[in-house]
Amino acid sequence: MTTTISGLPGLNDLKDTPAENINEFAEKGHTMVRDILSADEMAAYRPVIVDAAERYNTERRKMQDRDTYGKAFLQIMNLWRVDEGVKKFVLAKRLAKIAADLMGVENVRIYHDQALFKEPGGGPTPWHQDQYYWPIDTNNTITMWMPLIDIDLDMGMLTFASGSYDKGSIFDYEISDESESAFDDYVRGHKFPISRATTMKAGDATFHRGFTIHNAPGNNSNKMREVMTIIYLADGARVSPPKNEWQKNDLAKWMMNKPVGELIDSELNPKVL
Ligand SMILES: O=C(O)CCC(=O)C(=O)O
């Protein structure tokens, strides 16, 4: 199917984000905002995002042949660069405004997007911190995680260790069995409350900080858990020296190898608000 953007509803209206979300995000490092897209809007955008994710998915291995990371989800990245319909969603000012309000800034840029589709029978997503992967000189980063269909606890609900974001990077582990085990001990040891929604409607979204520790259970249902994510940076963030191979890779892939110390403002990082 070829995507055409005519007919897709505009998502550029700006609303103030509810104070309770801003306060919860400041305290816990995550919050859920309900009803960001209406049912009609989601009915228009879901097929566009699902179609693009299916076209660009490269995972062909059987579930049993994958490692823990590979079992957790199909991960299809920067779809906004290859599909005009997805671009309209990812660059939507309505979504960017919520990210900006939560981060307490006026302007935000895109880091990258990713469709994260947890297959029926897909495994758990191990505990991790996203920003372990990012060579960025600010902690003011945020991931929006939006289900494209209604989901419940059985389908791999995103789960947060509330208040776990303010110590920066805790461990030197990529997403793996090792990160699950080390963060599990850490989260228990620090008695961080564990928080996850029971249900989310398509068009609701959670937002979490780059250093908020989070995971997700496996998908025990017979439906694909279709989720679209967008990672935003506060405008003004600069490239920091890569601390690991993943960060070197991110610098090349998501920031066009901008030199260390420079503003993150490459063609891949448009200011959306
Ligand atoms: O979707 C998942 O299972 C994990 C998502 C995640 O880790 C993220 O969006 O940062």
Side-chain angles (χ1 to χ4, degrees):
M1 189 180 103
T2 313
T3 304
T4 55
I5 56 167
S6 58
L8 284 177
L11 301 175
N12 284 330
D13 53 314
L14 304 180
K15 280 190 229 147
D16 284 335
T17 306
E20 53 270 33
N21 288 115
I22 293 177
N23 294 338
E24 183 177 46
F25 185 78
E27 183 196 331
K28 301 181 180 170
H30 63 87
T31 191
M32 175 162 59
V33 182
R34 296 271 188 196
D35 298 320
I36 300 173
L37 260 67
S38 68
D40 285 350
E41 289 165 339
M42 199 36 94
Y45 279 96
R46 176 186 168 225
V48 170
I49 298 170
V50 170
D51 174 63
E54 284 172 355
R55 275 184 291 127
Y56 288 95
N57 171 41
T58 56
E59 179 59 84
R60 299 280 175 264
R61 294 169 298 172
K62 291 197 186 112
M63 191 63 82
Q64 65 265 29
D65 296 334
R66 303 184 206 162
D67 64 5
T68 299
Y69 193 152
K71 286 182 176 135
F73 38 62
L74 305 175
Q75 182 175 27
I76 309 111
M77 302 164 100
N78 253 9
L79 286 171
W80 78 271
R81 295 289 292 172
V82 292
D83 186 282
E84 287 298 312
V86 179
K87 182 174 179 179
K88 194 161 174 174
F89 178 87
V90 170
L91 303 191
K93 293 188 191 310
R94 186 193 298 172
L95 307 179
K97 170 74 163 57
I98 300 171
D101 286 348
L102 295 175
M103 289 195 280
V105 297
E106 291 292 314
N107 303 111
V108 296
R109 289 181 180 273
I110 298 291
Y111 187 46
H112 63 80
D113 68 46
Q114 42 188 3
L116 295 177
F117 284 18
K118 204 183 268 293
E119 298 148 282
T125 308
W127 285 120
H128 65 280
Q129 293 175 299
D130 298 336
Q131 206 158 331
Y132 165 72
Y133 292 90
W134 305 342
I136 297 172
D137 78 342
T138 177
N139 294 355
N140 218 1
T141 59
I142 204 166
T143 298
M144 184 204 80
W145 190 93
M146 180 181 281
L148 307 178
I149 55 168
D150 296 352
I151 64 169
D152 60 29
L153 276 178
D154 256 4
M155 295 178 73
M157 192 63 79
L158 200 57
T159 302
F160 305 99
S162 292
S164 62
Y165 64 86
D166 62 356
K167 304 269 184 306
S169 191
I170 305 294
F171 295 116
D172 202 11
Y173 290 124
E174 61 196 74
I175 299 176
S176 59
D177 295 331
E178 287 76 23
S179 74
E180 172 64 21
S181 153
F183 277 112
D184 203 50
D185 288 349
Y186 180 82
V187 165
R188 283 172 202 275
H190 286 75
K191 299 191 168 46
F192 293 115
I194 305 299
S195 168
R196 69 165 75 98
T198 315
T199 58
M200 288 179 76
K201 280 204 326 280
D204 297 341
T206 60
F207 292 79
H208 64 270
R209 287 188 181 281
F211 280 120
T212 298
I213 300 169
H214 58 287
N215 72 0
N219 182 355
N220 298 319
S221 80
N222 57 9
K223 277 188 267 174
M224 181 75 93
R225 189 212 66 184
E226 300 163 359
V227 164
M228 186 61 183
T229 69
I230 307 172
I231 302 163
Y232 300 93
L233 311 172
D235 182 35
R238 290 173 186 272
V239 179
S240 64
K243 293 195 180 80
N244 53 43
E245 287 302 311
W246 297 103
Q247 293 199 1
K248 271 190 210 154
N249 188 48
D250 260 41
L251 180 52
K253 217 162 153 190
W254 311 131
M255 293 180 275
M256 302 179 95
N257 266 329
K258 293 268 317 187
V260 169
E262 286 211 2
L263 272 180
I264 301 172
D265 62 356
S266 86
E267 188 189 317
L268 295 183
N269 313 112
K271 182 147 75 167
V272 276
L273 194 71

